[in-house]
Amino acid sequence: MQLYESDFYAWTQQQAALLRAGQWDQLDIANLVEEIEALGRQERRELLHRLGILVGHLLKWQLQPHLRGKSWRATITEQRRQIQRLLRDNPSLKPDLSAALQEAYQDGILLVVRETPLSEADLPAQCPYTFEQVMDPDFYPGKEDPP
């Protein structure tokens, strides 16, 4: 059994030491490639996760104005900040933002269905907001109660 399979942490330390020492012929190339690709996918999943939470809270804000409060505003603000940081650190995610928003919208719908009496049928089939809107610090749909 390879170290990669039996002790992942030890494998990462070994690979890092081999890289530092320039011992290229001893590297576990196949598994290094797999792990590097997984790191990239993880960044995209993080973007989708945060967009889903953000869109879900924007929908709740719009569709349940009587329940608006500082907790929802704080969540919206936090997700916007975290998405900005993620995009600053990973600018190659930017060309895919419209598609990512549409994909994350499905998670936003699930959040709304889980946390409110609303059902999927009560929500638009497609995300009603643009990426620019969801990231605009002044955008709160149906904003009668300014943040």
Side-chain angles (χ1 to χ4, degrees):
M1 178 182 300
Q2 285 187 330
L3 186 58
Y4 177 78
E5 296 165 351
S6 64
D7 188 341
F8 182 76
Y9 178 75
W11 175 84
T12 63
Q13 300 309 296
Q14 176 193 63
Q15 296 304 299
L18 293 170
L19 284 165
R20 281 190 196 92
Q23 296 178 340
W24 316 118
D25 59 329
Q26 294 184 39
L27 289 169
D28 181 358
I29 299 296
N31 286 318
L32 278 171
V33 168
E34 184 179 318
E35 293 304 322
I36 290 170
E37 289 173 339
L39 287 171
R41 287 189 301 271
Q42 182 178 351
E43 295 300 310
R44 187 168 190 285
R45 280 193 302 271
E46 178 75 11
L47 174 65
L48 294 174
H49 174 72
R50 293 198 175 277
L51 279 171
I53 294 170
L54 174 56
V55 171
H57 277 76
L58 289 172
L59 286 167
K60 290 187 339 180
W61 184 274
Q62 180 177 356
L63 299 171
Q64 294 188 308
H66 58 287
L67 295 175
R68 292 176 185 165
K70 69 180 189 174
S71 173
W72 287 0
R73 279 195 302 269
T75 297
I76 290 167
T77 299
E78 176 189 6
Q79 296 310 314
R80 285 175 171 155
R81 286 182 184 160
Q82 293 296 334
I83 291 166
Q84 287 170 341
R85 287 182 186 131
L86 187 62
L87 293 174
R88 182 189 64 226
D89 294 344
N90 300 280
S92 63
L93 289 170
K94 289 179 182 177
D96 189 36
L97 292 176
S98 291
L101 177 61
Q102 294 306 317
E103 190 175 341
Y105 181 63
Q106 300 309 311
D107 294 333
I109 287 175
L110 292 176
L111 182 144
V112 171
V113 169
R114 183 177 61 245
E115 295 183 1
T116 74
L118 299 169
S119 71
E120 263 188 71
D122 298 320
L123 304 168
Q126 298 293 315
C127 184
Y129 320 122
T130 65
F131 182 78
E132 291 73 22
Q133 286 175 314
V134 300
M135 294 304 294
D136 180 347
D138 295 323
F139 177 72
Y140 286 81
K143 175 168 91 172
E144 293 99 24
D145 179 23

